[in-house]
Amino acid sequence: MRTSIATVSLSGSLSEKLAAAAAAGFDGVEIFENDLIGSPLGPEEVRSRAADLGLAIDLYQPFRDAEAVPADVFARNIRRAEHKFRLMRRIGVDLLLVCSSVSPDSVSDDALAAEQLHALATRAAEHGVRIAYEALAWGRHVHTYEHAWRIVRAADHPSLGVCLDSFHILSRGSDPRGIEAIPGEKIFFLQLADAPLMAMDVLQWSRHYRCFPGQGGFDVAGLVRHAMNAGYQGPLSLEVFNDVFRQADAGRTAVDAQRSLLALEESAGLTSLPAAVVPRGIAFAELATADSEPLRALLTTLGFARTGRHARKPVELWEQGEARVLLTTGGPARREGPGLAAIGLETPDPAGAIKRAEPLLAPIVPRRTVGKDVPLDVVAAPDGTELFFCRTLPRGSEGPKEVPGPDRPSWTRDFVPAHHDTGDRAGSLTHIDHVALTQPWHRFDEAALFYRTVLGLQPRESVDLVDPYGLFRSRAVANPEGTLRLVLNVAPGPGAQEARPQHIAFATDDIAAVARRLREHGTETLPIPTNYYDDLAALHDLSPATLDDLSSLGILYDRDEHGEFRHLYTATYGHVFFEIVQRTGGYRGYGARNATVRLAAQHTRQLTV
């Protein structure tokens, strides 16, 4: 289907918004009146600029407070509308959005509203313009789409139809199934927006917290299906009022918007994309650093062994069980300290994964290969982390029955075995439990949509966490089996991303043994205040001996209806730290309650270092 986006959804000047929409692949735009008024481009120039970019101008909006008003007020409204009709002819757009009135002049009189909308549509038709009447969720008398349709039906004018807006419909809890009772030719326009489920005034909710479909809690795809069943044939258009989007780069936001519509069309059954290839786990985490010695020492203490080195690049492979860490000192190594550069995703069909990523506009990362390097497909996540689609087989085990194609062998083939000590492995780690990624403040919703649509991961509910700087949002995404978990944290504003390091969580079956091993080797773990354990004693019925063990080893504790969770943290190295976690009995969370304590402890340590 054709896609469109309202200019109010993007940041920048009108010219910049048009360019961003065109570059992202939109077919058309809705011109928001304020964008035109503030533009140095004249109406004819806007028309020409859009045409040059291959964009249709699908709608001009909004025209407010038009109907169900006294005769003298309506006369002024007609004069105002005549000016807009002439302006629209100059811009080259034939559809005007008329919102249900919020004016104190309006009265609750459907017959009068229908009569005046009929008169307005008659004047519009003289200029070759049509009217799309929309029920605002906060309209003074008309605030549901069913009510708006009754008035349009009573007005009975060929140039008058309805505009359906998913936010106005779903935010009020209206049943969208009634859309199918509206003749398709009378649905003049369909505007789409999602939103997080919030308990607040609907006007403020609308003006500040809308988001693109798939980023909130509304069933936008279901509403679209009802509109299609009614016979709607116009574009799918995004109208999103969002404070963050209006400050972010217009180009990136437009791409995110287009990705949301592509995924929406797939969910609504309107198009078919290559099936999602859901990763099974984390094959490796890659850390870039100028000085690898501190991390080598820490990994050794944790029980890792250096098992390989890349045949042609300055990259080392460290392994313990199925937990793998790559240390690289080449390329974009961080001078100020280690940082997470990439994640290897254990993918049953890497070629299939990239086939889905490309049409969903995931940035494909060009990868420089040397000699006989294994070809790997890489995409960039919204925060810049590189995601490798790969398969892991023990070195030397690749065979024709195990490899889906000659261009998709195991990534471990690039590594030459290295001698390693197979000594004490008390408290061995088993695999990477999860990776926590701090998102740029304006990319949090984009990241959740990216991981859901491109990788097929399932987002959990967003939670608010407290740290010494205020509140921040956190949201986990995981595969259905829970064998791949990523935690997305959002920095509260520009510049704060750098203050929050990423972290890698390793799983173990005996966290106490790991904690003792770290202590025996003089490796610092994050100190946890005594107050935390006093509160823990009140919160959970733990034995004094258990509390003493947790406190003496700096281990935090949580539980849910499925099981228990114990975890501890290392000190921060540059831009990364490690977490050790032990899940028992099917615990599904991440110790969110303890995040406040961890963040405060890290803040305190930073001040004392």
Side-chain angles (χ1 to χ4, degrees), residues 55-103:
L55 291 171
I57 301 179
D58 293 316
L59 181 79
Y60 187 76
Q61 66 136 320
F63 191 82
R64 302 185 186 279
D65 302 327
E67 83 288 5
V69 292
D72 60 329
V73 176
F74 186 65
R76 292 196 298 269
N77 289 346
I78 286 292
R79 183 188 65 81
R80 181 163 55 98
E82 289 277 4
H83 176 81
K84 300 302 178 186
F85 299 152
R86 292 190 293 270
L87 175 65
M88 291 171 63
R89 291 293 299 272
R90 296 172 64 192
I91 299 174
V93 56
D94 67 354
L95 187 60
L96 176 66
L97 176 69
V98 174
C99 304
S100 63
S101 180
V102 298
S103 170

Side-chain angles (χ1 to χ4, degrees), residues 114 118 151-158 160 186:
H118 185 282
I151 293 173
V152 167
R153 183 174 56 191
D156 191 23
H157 195 288
L160 178 66
K186 297 302 285 185

Side-chain angles (χ1 to χ4, degrees), residues 361-378:
L361 310 179
I364 308 301
V365 179
R367 184 169 180 267
R368 182 177 62 86
T369 58
V370 179
K372 297 182 179 180
D373 283 355
V374 171
L376 296 174
D377 294 308
V378 189

Side-chain angles (χ1 to χ4, degrees), residues 139-199:
R140 184 173 175 85
H141 303 293
V142 179
H143 43 251
T144 68
Y145 78 92
E146 299 100 328
H147 194 173
W149 165 235
R150 289 197 300 270
I151 293 173
V152 167
R153 183 174 56 191
D156 191 23
H157 195 288
S159 293
L160 178 66
V162 294
C163 173
L164 301 178
D165 183 303
S166 64
F167 179 85
H168 294 306
I169 294 171
L170 299 176
S171 65
R172 294 191 62 89
S174 297
D175 187 347
R177 287 179 295 183
I179 292 172
E180 297 191 26
I182 305 174
E185 67 273 11
K186 297 302 285 185
I187 303 175
F188 281 6
F189 208 69
L190 181 60
Q191 292 180 320
L192 303 173
D194 206 337
L197 302 180
M198 306 174 75

Side-chain angles (χ1 to χ4, degrees), residues 282 320-324 429-434 482-483 485 505-508:
I282 297 177
Q320 183 177 181
E322 294 184 1
R324 305 176 192 87
L429 308 180
T430 57
H431 61 280
I432 295 178
D433 182 88
H434 65 274
T483 55
R485 304 181 182 95
F506 298 115
T508 183

Side-chain angles (χ1 to χ4, degrees), residues 252-422:
R252 283 282 299 269
T253 303
V255 169
D256 187 33
Q258 185 68 268
R259 181 183 298 124
S260 78
L261 283 183
L262 291 167
L264 177 67
E265 291 185 54
E266 180 185 40
S267 298
L270 304 180
T271 190
S272 177
L273 294 172
V277 180
V278 183
R280 296 173 177 170
I282 297 177
F284 63 82
E286 181 178 2
L287 300 175
T289 179
D291 180 8
S292 61
E293 286 306 318
L295 284 180
R296 285 176 174 172
L298 177 59
L299 290 172
T300 300
T301 300
L302 285 170
F304 281 84
R306 188 171 71 91
T307 60
R309 57 178 178 80
H310 198 283
R312 291 162 290 278
K313 298 176 184 178
V315 183
E316 298 175 349
L317 170 60
W318 291 72
E319 294 184 272
Q320 183 177 181
E322 294 184 1
R324 305 176 192 87
V325 175
L326 301 184
L327 293 186
T328 178
T329 53
R334 295 178 183 265
R335 294 180 180 179
E336 68 274 23
L340 182 67
I343 301 172
L345 300 175
E346 196 68 59
T347 309
D349 180 8
I354 205 69
K355 286 179 182 177
R356 179 172 177 84
E358 288 180 304
L360 283 168
L361 310 179
I364 308 301
V365 179
R367 184 169 180 267
R368 182 177 62 86
T369 58
V370 179
K372 297 182 179 180
D373 283 355
V374 171
L376 296 174
D377 294 308
V378 189
V379 298
D383 66 349
T385 302
E386 294 184 353
L387 305 176
F388 285 73
F389 298 123
C390 57
R391 299 177 70 243
T392 306
L393 295 171
R395 285 182 295 279
S397 70
E398 294 95 332
K401 294 183 179 180
E402 296 176 286
V403 181
D407 59 338
R408 295 296 187 274
S410 175
W411 63 275
T412 55
R413 196 185 70 179
D414 284 339
F415 288 83
V416 177
H419 172 74
H420 61 274
D421 175 22
T422 58

